[in-house]
Amino acid sequence: MTYAHPIDAEIAPTLDEARLLVGGKAANLGVMARELRLPVPPGFVITTETCRRYFAEGWPDGLDDKLRVRMSAIEMAVGRRFGDPADPLLVSVRSGAPVSMPGMMDTILNLGLNDATTDGLARAAGDEAFARSCRERFTASFRAIVGVDDVPEDPWLQLRLAIEAVFRSWNSDRARSYRKKESIPEDLGTAVTVQAMVFGNRGSTSATGVLFTRNPATGEPHLYGDVMFDAQGEDVVAGTHRTEPIGVLDDRMPAVAADLREYAARLERHYADLCDIEFTIEEGRLWMLQVRVGKRSPQAALRIAVDMAEDESFPVSRRVAVERVAELLAHPPTNSSVRDSSVLPLVTGLPASPGFASGPIVTNPDAAHEAAEAGRAAILVRAETSPDDVHGMAKAAGILTSRGGLASHAAVVARGWGIPAVVGAAGIEVRDGEVVVGDKVLRTGEVITIDGSSGEVFEGAVPGTTEAVPEARTLLAWARDLGIEIGEAAPRNGEARSTPVADRTVTPDDCLRAIAIKGFTPIQGVADVVLATPDDIRPILEQLVVDGVVAEVGGAFRLTESGRTRASALLDAERAAWGVDEAGAALDAFLGLDHRTKEAVTAWQLRDGADGQVVNDHSDATYDEEVIDRLGAIHTDAMAWLDPIESRCPRLAGYRIRLSRAIEQVVAGDGRFVASPRVDSYHGIWFELHEDLIQLAGRTREDETAAGRA
């Protein structure tokens, strides 16, 4: 196999095939360098196949030799040598997944610096402070990402360790959380792009920036983004430094600004879509570092589709525009605003992702996750977010940061997930457990409201108004003219529609009970419980939202106060029909099975080692088969236990089907279905069954835990 390709090589017949092999970053760099002849630093890309081989077998034989061959081509292109103490070539080492995962994996800049090459860089640049700054940045990031105390002096060893670290970042917690949220396959792996460094931190005529070809929050047709002078790229997306709007380039570097606008227009027409671009200016020379189709808010998606289709010179037809946003048109997005204009904001930041959100303050992502799991999504308030925060961001009702610009990590991720966000609210100070605005201190748990359309932040729960975005009407009219069907007709008389699934019917109450058990769940979680598909139940959930008993936050569903009241009434009726004593007896009989199941799941995850229990790496097939046999025996007994009680509480029959499906997957060889939270696993279903039984018996999990029964 070919481990690495030059960036400007024609790697595959189509862009999609190229992305699978070398990741989106390198495939799009190839488009810029090869097809559009834009200024791209020379480099090469290590393939996703190499990454997968690394995970399976370790560092591939022959890869070191290939790295030297590819590096020599960069050396010839730039006239500097890697590791040369006189005038060193430095490189960046970046991840590149086949599906865009902004900020989720690792990047190392300025690689190749040691004592000798740092001195050489200082002499060649005529700037000792610049060289020292590059060395400090490199050392800090290398230690943090590679996980070493001392950076090796050998640049080639630095390169190998950096590549391995980028490979490993594919399996980091933040990358896994993002893939789970975005339903990205786990087995793709990442490519690694190695490029000659260009420096945005070489003085006042150097800069780095990120821009979108249109406003990704509103869809307005003008360049939108941030630039930072005398800085490197990570400074912009991290949100740790104050950025300036992209328009300042027109005043400070008009020739560069003109080139940038031309390149942005060419890229947008080539991709026929909104583009997200990263660039660096080194001593007045513009370099293009990345392009991808940009994430945008639902509101922006509709406006962009209309504007592009109405521009006769643009390569997007009305049919393409409608088909591109058809899923959004089934449930058109709305614009929000404060209902009472006399209510004054506490502070105003940048409107990063439109939408209106109220909730209690939390200042760390774990608390945001816990609040959502408890049924009350919170506003995550941070100085700035990082990729390590994504698990909490995904569960938050809204996001507020005191630092960062419109292209910061918080802004990009929030827009991509449709979560209201305000960034760069410089008037707030975020402390551990509290937020300070002037002389006002707001503590964790106090409620605030953010308006991601205006950038305003309010104290308390402030009511807002919503209206459908006007572009929705235009696109729906086009859809009718073109004969394109958009979703299903809305239910009449305000009643939620029941949906037939196989030989049963899913009702609104089924979905309500599912959410009550799960607490806070994406649509797939509800579908798993009611034995349906997301498309089957989407109309039911949408109507439950309209009815005010369910709230949708960040793509997941939770019960409102009235929803909890309704779910409690349903539970009371089931408990009365079954009988509290009989339900309690069923729970008591379940406990023995529960202990056996927990022991089996623990044995699947951990096993005895020389120094105690260690993580089961599943290298011992005989051991795993024994655990699966234990789980199979438990399942047989569980089905016998379920049989007589299903007639008293028919809804519990759903657990029989789900548990049986999960054990079939386990026996077929898919170990995820033992306990992985990413699928409807045996352990996950079992936990929900236990919770259901506790509620039906009129008990609480806290009481059961205190009594040693849970």
Side-chain angles (χ1 to χ4, degrees), residues 471-514:
E471 291 81 10
R473 293 191 295 273
T474 300
L475 287 156
L476 288 168
W478 291 354
R480 287 192 297 271
D481 293 343
L482 294 165
I484 300 173
E485 294 186 11
I486 301 295
E488 299 177 39
R492 296 181 179 178
N493 302 322
E495 294 181 356
R497 172 194 298 112
S498 295
T499 303
V501 181
D503 60 348
R504 60 188 298 274
T505 297
V506 177
T507 69
D509 286 348
D510 291 333
C511 294
L512 205 68
R513 288 288 293 128

Side-chain angles (χ1 to χ4, degrees), residues 55 112 170 187-188 233 268 270 291 346 530 593 626 667:
F55 287 145
W170 172 260
D187 58 355
L188 296 178
E268 189 179 74
H270 181 87
V291 64
L346 280 173
V530 301
L593 292 167
E626 291 174 352
V667 172

Side-chain angles (χ1 to χ4, degrees), residues 643-674:
D643 188 55
I645 68 173
E646 285 178 8
S647 61
R648 305 305 306 273
C649 188
R651 183 174 52 80
L652 297 181
Y655 290 107
R656 172 189 295 277
I657 298 171
R658 293 171 66 202
L659 289 168
S660 296
R661 286 178 177 176
I663 200 69
E664 286 172 5
Q665 293 290 335
V666 173
V667 172
D670 193 339
R672 296 177 304 161
F673 282 84
V674 174

Side-chain angles (χ1 to χ4, degrees), residues 498-636:
S498 295
T499 303
V501 181
D503 60 348
R504 60 188 298 274
T505 297
V506 177
T507 69
D509 286 348
D510 291 333
C511 294
L512 205 68
R513 288 288 293 128
I515 299 171
I517 289 296
K518 283 188 169 285
F520 190 73
T521 179
I523 192 170
Q524 183 63 57
V526 183
D528 288 338
V529 173
V530 301
L531 307 174
T533 69
D535 288 342
D536 289 330
I537 63 171
R538 190 179 300 277
I540 299 177
L541 293 176
E542 293 292 345
Q543 188 60 46
L544 289 173
V545 172
V546 171
D547 292 343
V549 293
V550 168
E552 183 177 6
V553 181
F557 296 88
R558 61 175 175 81
L559 299 183
T560 63
E561 188 63 40
S562 60
R564 285 191 287 274
T565 300
R566 182 166 155 184
S568 180
L570 293 171
L571 181 65
D572 289 343
E574 285 183 323
R575 187 186 298 122
W578 190 358
V580 174
D581 291 342
E582 289 195 35
L587 174 59
D588 292 342
F590 171 84
L591 294 178
L593 292 167
D594 184 52
H595 291 313
R596 290 169 60 195
T597 301
K598 288 175 179 174
E599 289 171 357
V601 170
T602 301
W604 179 258
Q605 297 171 327
L606 302 171
R607 56 178 302 174
D608 293 335
D611 299 316
Q613 286 193 313
V614 296
V615 174
N616 181 14
D617 61 5
H618 304 293
S619 60
D620 186 338
T622 300
Y623 175 86
D624 282 358
E625 287 173 7
E626 291 174 352
V627 176
I628 292 171
D629 287 344
R630 286 169 58 188
L631 194 60
I634 294 166
H635 179 73
T636 299

Side-chain angles (χ1 to χ4, degrees), residues 329-564:
L329 289 174
H331 309 283
T334 59
N335 286 326
S336 303
S337 60
V338 177
R339 186 178 299 162
D340 184 352
S341 60
S342 67
V343 177
L344 298 178
L346 280 173
V347 68
T348 300
L350 299 173
S353 181
F356 214 67
S358 296
I361 293 170
V362 295
T363 56
N364 70 74
D366 291 338
H369 191 279
E370 291 166 5
E373 292 295 317
R376 194 182 187 199
I379 305 295
L380 176 60
V381 187
R382 304 282 277 165
E384 69 273 343
T385 65
S386 76
D388 291 329
D389 295 343
V390 294
H391 65 294
M393 296 171 72
K395 298 284 190 177
I399 297 167
L400 170 64
T401 70
S402 62
R403 298 199 290 263
L406 297 170
S408 65
H409 176 267
V412 171
V413 173
R415 280 193 298 269
W417 285 345
I419 300 172
V422 174
V423 302
I428 68 173
E429 179 186 354
V430 185
R431 300 175 181 171
D432 186 18
E434 63 184 25
V435 177
V436 180
V437 185
D439 58 359
K440 182 178 289 292
V441 177
L442 300 173
R443 293 182 171 80
T444 296
E446 294 188 56
V447 174
I448 59 172
T449 298
I450 66 170
D451 184 350
S453 300
S454 67
E456 294 173 317
V457 181
F458 303 89
E459 185 176 9
V462 176
T465 60
T466 61
E467 59 181 3
V469 297
E471 291 81 10
R473 293 191 295 273
T474 300
L475 287 156
L476 288 168
W478 291 354
R480 287 192 297 271
D481 293 343
L482 294 165
I484 300 173
E485 294 186 11
I486 301 295
E488 299 177 39
R492 296 181 179 178
N493 302 322
E495 294 181 356
R497 172 194 298 112
S498 295
T499 303
V501 181
D503 60 348
R504 60 188 298 274
T505 297
V506 177
T507 69
D509 286 348
D510 291 333
C511 294
L512 205 68
R513 288 288 293 128
I515 299 171
I517 289 296
K518 283 188 169 285
F520 190 73
T521 179
I523 192 170
Q524 183 63 57
V526 183
D528 288 338
V529 173
V530 301
L531 307 174
T533 69
D535 288 342
D536 289 330
I537 63 171
R538 190 179 300 277
I540 299 177
L541 293 176
E542 293 292 345
Q543 188 60 46
L544 289 173
V545 172
V546 171
D547 292 343
V549 293
V550 168
E552 183 177 6
V553 181
F557 296 88
R558 61 175 175 81
L559 299 183
T560 63
E561 188 63 40
S562 60
R564 285 191 287 274

Side-chain angles (χ1 to χ4, degrees), residues 106-111 113 115 134-153 158 161-162 165 168:
D106 288 329
T107 290
I108 297 177
L109 305 180
N110 307 315
L111 188 139
L113 285 173
D115 290 342
C134 290
R135 178 74 178 279
E136 290 171 353
R137 288 170 178 267
F138 167 61
T139 299
S141 67
F142 192 94
R143 285 174 173 168
I145 291 169
V146 178
V148 296
D149 293 328
D150 298 312
V151 180
E153 284 283 299
Q158 293 175 7
L161 292 176
R168 290 195 302 271

Side-chain angles (χ1 to χ4, degrees), residues 63-297:
L63 179 54
D64 288 309
D65 292 339
K66 182 59 66 176
L67 294 179
R68 290 181 180 270
V69 171
R70 295 298 180 213
M71 190 70 80
S72 67
I74 302 179
E75 292 172 335
M76 291 181 63
V78 301
R80 297 191 298 275
R81 289 189 301 110
F82 187 59
D84 181 4
D87 187 10
L89 164 67
L90 305 183
V91 296
S92 62
V93 181
R94 301 175 183 266
S95 60
V99 180
S100 178
M101 295 173 55
M104 295 304 113
M105 291 179 292
D106 288 329
T107 290
I108 297 177
L109 305 180
N110 307 315
L111 188 139
L113 285 173
N114 54 27
D115 290 342
T117 56
T118 300
D119 291 342
L121 180 64
R123 289 192 298 272
D127 189 338
E128 192 171 317
F130 158 72
R132 185 169 60 252
S133 173
C134 290
R135 178 74 178 279
E136 290 171 353
R137 288 170 178 267
F138 167 61
T139 299
S141 67
F142 192 94
R143 285 174 173 168
I145 291 169
V146 178
V148 296
D149 293 328
D150 298 312
V151 180
E153 284 283 299
D154 181 0
W156 291 101
L157 180 55
Q158 293 175 7
L159 180 62
R160 172 168 173 165
L161 292 176
I163 292 168
E164 289 185 292
V166 174
F167 281 158
R168 290 195 302 271
S169 70
W170 172 260
N171 288 322
S172 67
D173 289 343
R174 65 183 188 239
R176 288 182 181 276
S177 294
Y178 189 88
R179 289 198 294 274
K180 179 181 178 183
K181 174 74 174 178
E182 293 286 291
S183 299
I184 298 172
E186 288 288 322
D187 58 355
L188 296 178
T190 182
V192 180
T193 301
V194 179
Q195 278 183 286
M197 279 294 302
V198 290
F199 299 97
N201 57 332
R202 292 193 69 166
S204 61
T205 60
S206 299
T208 187
V210 177
L211 68 84
F212 295 83
T213 52
R214 301 181 189 224
N215 187 315
T218 67
E220 294 174 271
H222 56 72
L223 295 188
Y224 172 102
D226 300 313
V227 65
M228 188 181 299
F229 294 92
D230 197 15
Q232 288 197 324
E234 296 302 295
D235 299 331
V236 177
V237 296
T240 53
H241 295 69
R242 179 68 58 190
T243 60
E244 297 183 69
I246 197 72
V248 302
L249 281 175
D250 290 316
D251 296 325
R252 293 189 57 167
M253 299 181 182
V256 170
D259 286 344
L260 190 58
R261 291 181 190 280
E262 179 197 344
Y263 298 165
R266 287 168 62 184
L267 286 166
E268 189 179 74
R269 287 182 176 272
H270 181 87
Y271 286 95
D273 208 341
L274 168 74
C275 288
D276 173 355
I277 297 166
E278 294 180 17
F279 64 92
T280 283
I281 305 164
E282 183 181 46
E283 296 185 312
R285 183 176 181 183
L286 176 62
W287 293 94
M288 305 297 283
L289 301 185
Q290 180 166 309
V291 64
R292 57 192 170 204
V293 171
K295 296 185 180 296
R296 81 254 8 228
S297 72

